Each structure stands twice: as structure tokens, then as C-alpha cells.
Amino acid sequence: MATNYPEEITKIIAKLNEKNPYYVPIGGLLLILVLDYFLIMQFQLANIRTLNPKVATLSQDLKTARTNITQTDRYKSELKKLSEERQQLNFKIKTKEEVPLIMESLSRIAQKSGVLLDQITPEQASQDVVLKNNDGQYLAIPIRIDARSSYHSLGRFINQLEREEEFFRVASLSIVGNSQDVIQHSINLVISAIIFEKAN
């Protein structure tokens, strides 16, 4: 004889309902919660698990962005400082048209140091390009100096060159003794001066 399961279940529910009318709604609610967990929640939890690495990456990116935003003022300050330093350096560098002023400056330093100049000649044909940009180019122009000096005066002269606002560098130096004057020696000195030539 075939068992009719729906009728059996209905009878059981009716008996339970007679004893306590809250069993059926509570059982139905529990059944809904179990089905929700196994069918719907598992799918949502799987999606959340796949999102976790992306959330971690986004969190790290957000942290980096916040750090960069707080550093912006410092970057602006450093950029302003570098810009001011560049302007000061450009102010110190003479242009190609100001080579005579460089010669005057060298003559003044030599006289102040006790170096007797015989000849001072810029060798513009031998100039080298140090740096080139959109504004123009920076050139190193050799200036040959023939002079007479003691060691002490020559030392003062070279020391003063390094303290000057213009950019000077001693490229070569030779000293030849003078048999007729043991104090004043013949000095052959080549100084490299940095100048700026504007772009045409």
C-alpha cells in the first residue's frame, strides 16, 4: 500500500499545531533561514571572498594617496627652493656678451692678490659646450693668463677665484722660476669660465 507523504506531513503538522500553535511558524522560519544560508548566503560569501584582495589593494592605494596628499606641501616647498637656487646660479653666470666683465673681474682679483698680469686672453675658439637647453647653452671658455707672482700671491689669487660669484675653474697651471728674481716666478695659467649663450 502506497504511503501518501503529503497527507502524513499534514497530519503531523496538525497534531503539532494542536499542542502548541507556535511550532509551525517557528519551524517554517527555521527552514527559511537554513535555505537562505545554504542557497543565497553561500553565493554572497563567495563573492565577498573574491572581493577581499581587491579591497586590500584599494585600501593600500588609498593609504598611499593620502600620504602623497600630505607630502604635496613639502614637494611644493622643495620645488620653490630649487627654483630660487637656479635663479641665483643663473644670476652668477655671465652671458657671452659679458666676457669683458669677466676679464675685468680677473684683473681686479689679480691686483688685489699681488699677481702682476702680463697678458690675459680669452680663447673663445676653444670653448666647450657644458650644458644645452631650450633657453640656450652653457659654455666653458678658456682664459689664458701670463703673469708674474710669488707662490704666496698665486695661492691667494686661486683662493679668491673660488670665492668669486662667477664660475671659475683652474684648467692648467705652470710655474717657471726666474733666475733674476727668486721671488717673482713666471706663471702660465688657464682658467675655465662658465658663460651662457642665449638661443637664437
Side-chain angles (χ1 to χ4, degrees):
M1 184 177 174
T3 306
N4 193 349
Y5 288 110
E7 285 181 15
E8 292 289 328
I9 292 169
T10 307
K11 286 178 184 178
I12 293 168
I13 291 171
K15 282 181 185 179
L16 287 171
N17 206 17
E18 285 173 12
K19 290 180 181 178
N20 191 340
Y22 298 112
Y23 283 163
V24 174
I26 290 170
L29 186 61
L30 286 172
L31 183 64
I32 290 169
L33 288 172
V34 168
L35 288 173
D36 181 57
Y37 177 76
F38 284 107
L39 297 177
I40 299 169
M41 287 295 288
Q42 287 300 320
F43 177 73
Q44 291 175 345
L45 286 170
N47 283 341
I48 289 169
R49 286 188 201 101
T50 57
L51 286 173
N52 273 344
K54 293 179 183 176
V55 169
T57 304
L58 285 171
S59 178
Q60 184 59 41
D61 290 346
L62 184 61
K63 187 178 178 183
T64 304
R66 283 177 178 160
T67 303
N68 288 341
I69 287 167
T70 58
Q71 300 276 339
T72 302
D73 289 338
R74 187 170 64 85
Y75 294 147
K76 284 180 181 176
S77 175
E78 287 179 6
L79 186 62
K80 184 180 178 184
K81 185 180 175 184
L82 288 171
S83 179
E84 288 172 357
E85 286 177 4
R86 181 176 172 267
Q87 285 178 350
Q88 288 175 357
L89 288 174
N90 282 341
F91 179 74
K92 290 179 181 180
I93 296 173
K94 299 285 190 267
T95 62
K96 196 167 187 179
E97 292 76 24
E98 293 177 307
V99 170
L101 292 176
I102 295 173
M103 311 291 278
E104 284 179 24
S105 180
L106 288 171
S107 297
R108 175 182 51 79
I109 296 167
Q111 185 178 9
K112 187 178 176 182
S113 304
V115 174
L116 304 172
L117 294 179
D118 292 329
Q119 190 173 11
I120 180 167
T121 313
E123 298 180 345
Q124 296 193 25
S126 304
Q127 64 193 16
D128 292 322
V129 177
V130 177
L131 179 68
K132 201 170 188 177
N133 59 27
N134 293 334
D135 298 328
Q137 57 186 1
Y138 294 88
L139 305 168
I141 179 168
I143 299 172
R144 183 171 297 279
I145 296 173
D146 295 321
R148 286 166 287 123
S149 171
S150 66
Y151 291 120
H152 184 69
S153 296
L154 179 63
R156 273 191 307 200
F157 177 68
I158 293 171
N159 185 44
Q160 190 60 38
L161 284 179
E162 292 180 356
R163 294 183 178 191
E164 282 299 298
E165 289 188 349
E166 288 90 356
F167 286 95
F168 295 124
R169 182 180 64 84
V170 176
S172 68
L173 170 66
S174 66
I175 303 171
V176 179
N178 187 349
S179 57
Q180 293 162 358
D181 190 341
V182 293
I183 296 172
Q184 298 285 19
H185 308 289
S186 295
I187 309 294
N188 293 320
L189 180 66
V190 176
I191 292 170
S192 183
I194 304 297
I195 61 169
F196 179 69
E197 183 178 45
K198 290 180 182 177
N200 293 330

